[in-house]
């Protein structure tokens, strides 16, 4: 046998498992998600862990979906916004709490960053008014049907810029507003003060 | 008697009581009333300072709900432009002599909020600060030390922020107007204080 001959490596043909729809577990969360998905086939749903479920919904049907879920999820806890600047999208996360089932749901939806518009959910949960005003103020998302959109917490000139957007340059803004005569701005770190 | 201007009256009053001034200073240092306007996170250091462990009332210091009766103004932590408007109005409402004690690094240079869009970097530009305590957060001992320093400065006569504010009012006003825009007192402050 030739010593230089390399031993043959059996090439394993790795079988790519077919992408299957995630099986929903046989728990109360799984049943809840399955029930909602049966009524709303346009949405994707999954169970993250005990008492935590997640839905992804296209933006044009979010109102319809939230109206549907509000039967089980009685409480809107928060509307938080994520700025995905590379994809040019805002992700809105509606955090719902089911009082009857003790389950926390994230309902995610994405809208384009330019002229982001969504229907208001004030008629489902009146508390949404405050969260929508906040999202509007910090990110510039327009919620159609909310009568009180406008300056809320921020100063007028901060409100124009929407300071929680990722392309808002905080340091440049702070320099122009508060003056540059301040050693923490010194990027050469000669007078650096912690 | 010659005609007196408004400023002269203050000077006259000060000159008149010069003899008793050491006595007054001693009395002022022994009865500091704090304006209960806890801005930012440092307010949480006030309960241990006021309660049994550090008990600042044994030094004649006590919290006081009304700015008209306060001597010592504590700026406890970061200051946002919105709060600063209220701070300036409250400071101007206080009677002379009045002293300002700034807690933590935020009023000095912004602290951890040094590049934040809504935290004022140097409080000293907008109202005079007599003593600033560095660090984040100053513990109740450090606040006590700051108050002791204020007391020493009152006795020396070097806690003169209220005089500096009068003398350099144009400069302070300029900085305030730069931050808030002209006419902020009429526009904003009048909404919560009708008599301004």
């Amino acid at each position: 046998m030739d010593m230089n001959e390399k031993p043959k490596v059996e090439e394993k043909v790795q079988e790519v498992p077919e992408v299957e729809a995630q099986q929903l577990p046989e728990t109360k969360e799984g049943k809840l998600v399955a029930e909602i998905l049966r009524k709303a086939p346009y949405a994707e749903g999954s169970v993250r862990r005990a008492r935590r479920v997640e839905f992804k919904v296209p933006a044009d049907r979010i109102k319809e979906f939230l109206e549907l879920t509000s039967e089980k999820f009685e409480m809107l806890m928060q509307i938080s916004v994520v700025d995905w600047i590379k994809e040019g999208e805002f992700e809105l996360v509606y955090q719902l709490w089911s009082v009857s089932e003790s389950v926390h749901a994230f309902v995610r939806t994405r809208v384009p960053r330019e002229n982001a518009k969504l229907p208001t959910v004030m008629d489902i949960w009146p508390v949404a008014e405050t969260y929508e005003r906040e999202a509007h103020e910090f990110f510039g998302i327009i919620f159609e049907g909310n009568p009180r959109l406008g300056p809320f917490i921020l100063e007028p000139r901060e409100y124009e810029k929407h300071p929680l957007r990722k392309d808002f340059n905080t340091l440049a803004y702070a320099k122009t507003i508060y003056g540059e005569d301040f050693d923490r701005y010194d990027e050469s770190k000669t007078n650096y003060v912690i | 008697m010659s005609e007196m201007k408004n400023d002269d009256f203050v000077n006259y009053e000060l000159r008149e009581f010069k003899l008793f001034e050491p006595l007054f200073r001693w009395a002022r240092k022994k009865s500091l009333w704090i304006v209960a306007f806890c801005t930012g996170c440092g307010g949480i250091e006030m309960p241990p300072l006021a309660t049994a462990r550090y008990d600042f009332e044994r030094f004649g210091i006590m919290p006081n709900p009304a700015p008209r009766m306060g001597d010592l103004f504590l700026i406890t932590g970061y200051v946002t432009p919105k709060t600063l408007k209220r701070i300036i109005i409250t400071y101007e409402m206080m009677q002379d002599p009045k002293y300002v004690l700034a807690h933590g690094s935020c009023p000095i240079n912004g602290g951890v909020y040094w590049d934040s869009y809504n935290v004022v970097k140097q409080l000293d530009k907008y109202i005079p600060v007599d003593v600033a305590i560095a660090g984040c957060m100053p513990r109740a001992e450090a606040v006590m030390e700051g108050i002791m320093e204020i007391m020493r400065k009152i006795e020396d006569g070097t806690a003169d922020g209220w005089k500096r504010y009068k003398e350099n009012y144009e400069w302070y006003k300029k900085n305030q107007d730069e931050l808030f825009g002209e006419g902020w007192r009429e526009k904003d402050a009048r909404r919560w204080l009708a008599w301004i």
Side-chain angles (χ1 to χ4, degrees):
Chain A
M1 196 179 165
D2 190 1
M3 292 299 286
N4 292 332
E5 195 184 357
K6 283 177 184 172
K8 266 188 184 176
V9 179
E10 272 186 38
E11 282 185 18
K12 277 183 186 171
V13 181
Q14 274 201 337
E15 281 185 25
V16 181
E18 281 182 23
V19 181
E20 288 175 22
Q22 196 199 351
Q23 290 294 316
L24 293 167
E26 282 296 311
T27 55
K28 82 175 169 191
E29 294 87 7
K31 281 171 196 158
L32 197 61
V33 172
E35 192 189 325
I36 287 171
L37 289 186
R38 210 180 307 123
K39 290 179 194 161
Y42 49 84
E44 294 169 34
S46 61
V47 178
R48 272 196 173 185
R49 57 172 173 78
R51 307 210 292 165
R52 175 71 51 84
V53 300
E54 196 175 12
F55 296 100
K56 280 180 189 167
V57 189
D60 50 342
R61 306 191 79 165
I62 182 75
K63 180 81 178 274
E64 190 187 327
F65 182 79
L66 288 174
E67 225 153 15
L68 179 72
T69 43
S70 64
E71 292 163 12
K72 288 283 177 189
F73 294 87
E74 295 91 345
M75 193 173 145
L76 175 67
M77 295 206 295
Q78 190 164 23
I79 301 173
S80 47
V81 186
V82 189
D83 188 358
W84 297 100
I85 190 164
K86 281 182 190 162
E87 287 130 66
E89 283 177 332
F90 285 127
E91 181 172 33
L92 274 93
V93 188
Y94 291 81
Q95 298 188 31
L96 314 178
W97 176 252
S98 170
V99 180
S100 49
E101 308 267 347
S102 297
V103 175
H104 185 170
F106 289 173
V107 181
R108 295 168 187 278
T109 183
R110 288 199 176 208
V111 284
R113 268 175 119 250
E114 301 298 322
N115 292 324
K117 272 187 188 172
L118 277 164
T120 178
V121 291
M122 267 176 70
D123 43 354
I124 308 172
W125 298 284
V127 71
E129 182 189 306
T130 312
Y131 304 140
E132 286 173 359
R133 287 173 82 184
E134 201 179 326
H136 170 72
E137 183 163 49
F138 284 101
F139 292 92
I141 300 167
I142 293 165
F143 292 90
E144 285 164 328
N146 189 327
R148 295 184 72 194
L149 290 186
F152 176 34
I153 303 166
L154 297 177
E155 294 277 294
R157 66 180 153 199
E158 293 162 359
Y159 170 75
E160 289 163 19
K161 306 252 179 153
H162 304 304
L164 289 193
R165 286 186 175 198
K166 283 277 195 293
D167 53 0
F168 173 76
N169 188 345
T170 330
L171 183 56
Y173 181 84
K175 277 182 184 173
T176 53
I177 299 300
Y178 302 108
E180 295 201 35
D181 50 338
F182 173 49
D183 52 8
R184 284 295 284 273
Y185 298 147
D186 182 11
E187 275 147 33
S188 64
K189 307 276 190 293
T190 43
N191 293 313
Y192 200 64
V193 181
I194 295 287
Chain B
M1 196 176 138
S2 65
E3 202 183 332
M4 279 202 308
K5 278 187 291 181
N6 205 14
D7 283 0
D8 288 342
F9 179 72
V10 177
N11 294 334
Y12 169 78
E13 211 179 31
L14 292 175
R15 229 181 303 123
E16 182 80 344
F17 297 111
K18 213 169 183 182
L19 179 64
F20 300 108
E21 196 57 26
L23 174 66
F24 290 166
R25 280 176 186 167
W26 177 83
R28 277 170 195 155
K29 105 174 187 182
K30 290 287 183 186
S31 65
L32 287 172
W33 285 18
I34 292 173
V35 179
F37 183 105
C38 284
T39 57
C41 31
I44 206 66
E45 295 297 335
M46 300 314 289
L49 201 60
T51 49
R53 182 150 187 183
Y54 294 102
D55 189 21
F56 62 20
E57 209 166 325
R58 65 205 154 114
F59 298 103
I61 302 165
M62 62 181 231
N64 158 47
R68 303 270 187 213
M69 289 176 265
D71 308 286
L72 182 59
F73 197 6
L74 299 181
I75 310 293
T76 55
Y78 63 84
V79 179
T80 62
K82 270 197 160 178
T83 325
L84 185 57
K85 282 177 191 168
R86 277 89 174 154
I87 287 174
I88 290 166
I89 298 298
T90 312
Y91 181 71
E92 286 174 3
M93 272 202 262
M94 288 165 66
Q95 304 278 352
D96 292 339
K98 50 197 172 187
Y99 314 103
V100 177
L101 174 65
H103 291 216
S105 34
C106 297
I108 302 172
N109 61 4
V112 292
Y113 307 108
W114 63 281
D115 64 344
S116 173
Y117 62 91
N118 63 349
V119 173
V120 172
K121 309 303 169 215
Q122 279 165 290
L123 181 64
D124 223 353
K125 273 167 72 175
Y126 308 103
I127 58 167
V129 175
D130 292 307
V131 172
I133 310 163
C136 175
M137 276 304 303
R139 272 291 298 146
E141 299 95 317
V143 179
M144 206 71 234
E145 180 60 35
I147 290 173
M148 293 299 178
E149 184 63 35
I150 281 268
M151 287 175 165
R152 280 193 284 275
K153 290 184 102 175
I154 290 168
E155 198 138 42
D156 300 349
T158 48
D160 56 351
W162 57 284
K163 279 186 207 161
R164 278 186 281 131
Y165 193 65
K166 275 183 186 163
E167 284 160 11
N168 310 314
Y169 186 65
E170 291 303 311
W171 186 78
Y172 286 112
K173 183 115 195 309
K174 180 177 71 69
N175 288 336
Q176 292 165 8
D177 284 351
E178 266 175 23
L179 183 59
F180 304 133
E182 289 290 330
W184 63 274
R185 281 162 203 269
E186 288 76 25
K187 228 188 306 175
D188 294 327
R190 192 167 277 167
R191 276 190 304 186
W192 15 276
L193 296 173
W195 60 84
I196 287 178

